[in-house]
Amino acid sequence: MDDLAFNKIAGAVLATALAAVGLEELSAIVYQSEPAAKPGYAVQVASAESGGGPAAPELPPDWGTVLPTADIAAGKTTTAVCQTCHNFDKGGPNMTGPNLYGVVGRKPGTHPGFAYSAGMVAMGEKIGAWSYDDLNTFLKGPQADVSGTKMTFTGLKKQDQRINVIAYLRTLSGSRAPMPPPKAV
């Protein structure tokens, strides 16, 4: 090999090494970063509209006051989503969920021909029969109220919707559950 070929190869190796070192230094200058003063990420949390304090717990409604003024038609409309799993007709078949005709005042976990979860049967033993307050709590969040329930519905978060649905369910019975008197103020 002659001297000129060796010089060309040596020059190419040195130029490549110089380019690599130069690019490394250039990228360190361009993408210069300072260590964070405080490790972690800043997460923005929306403050509550009521002034930042915890939300007040929802009080159970005064059934003697709200049931007579409840919108039964709105309750029936709200239960349209329930009809994918439940039947509301007298003597109607059980579906994915039990028939709900006459559910107000009925013992949970006892409708004939439906295989209830152990949690729902235990709820029936605990409370005896569906009261307005029990239905209100269950409809707000079925999984939170009855551990192991087969009902996958997330619940009705608005209290007025639950009141209307319960008023509608109350009409689905040969003998309606009695309406409690209004609470004394």
Side-chain angles (χ1 to χ4, degrees):
M1 174 156 50
D2 62 349
D3 287 338
L4 192 55
F6 177 76
N7 286 344
K8 287 180 185 177
I9 293 171
V13 170
L14 287 174
T16 303
L18 181 64
V21 171
L23 286 174
E24 181 181 350
E25 290 300 316
L26 181 64
S27 66
I29 293 169
V30 172
Y31 298 108
Q32 187 175 23
S33 65
E34 296 178 20
K38 189 175 181 183
Y41 294 98
V43 177
Q44 296 293 330
V45 178
S47 63
E49 293 177 358
S50 63
E58 183 180 86
L59 298 175
D62 178 2
W63 294 105
T65 304
V66 298
L67 279 178
T69 60
D71 188 348
I72 294 172
K76 184 175 183 176
T77 301
T78 302
T79 62
V81 297
C82 308
Q83 292 177 358
T84 57
C85 297
H86 295 282
N87 188 311
F88 293 88
D89 300 328
K90 182 178 183 176
N94 291 323
M95 296 170 62
T96 305
N99 182 306
L100 295 181
Y101 186 87
V103 71
V104 179
R106 182 170 72 204
K107 183 177 180 179
T110 61
H111 190 268
F114 187 78
Y116 286 94
S117 66
M120 187 59 75
V121 173
M123 174 71 136
E125 296 301 319
K126 177 182 172 187
I127 66 172
W130 284 117
S131 70
Y132 298 119
D133 284 332
D134 294 326
L135 280 168
N136 182 48
T137 304
F138 181 74
L139 290 174
K140 184 175 182 180
Q143 292 89 7
D145 190 40
V146 178
S147 178
T149 183
K150 293 179 183 179
M151 190 163 163
T152 58
F153 182 63
T154 58
L156 298 171
K157 302 307 176 204
K158 295 181 180 177
Q159 189 175 52
D160 61 328
Q161 283 184 321
R162 294 191 307 272
I163 290 169
N164 292 337
V165 166
I166 291 168
Y168 170 64
L169 290 174
R170 183 177 174 271
T171 67
L172 302 178
S173 176
S175 59
R176 291 186 182 178
M179 193 177 302
K183 293 179 182 173
V185 180

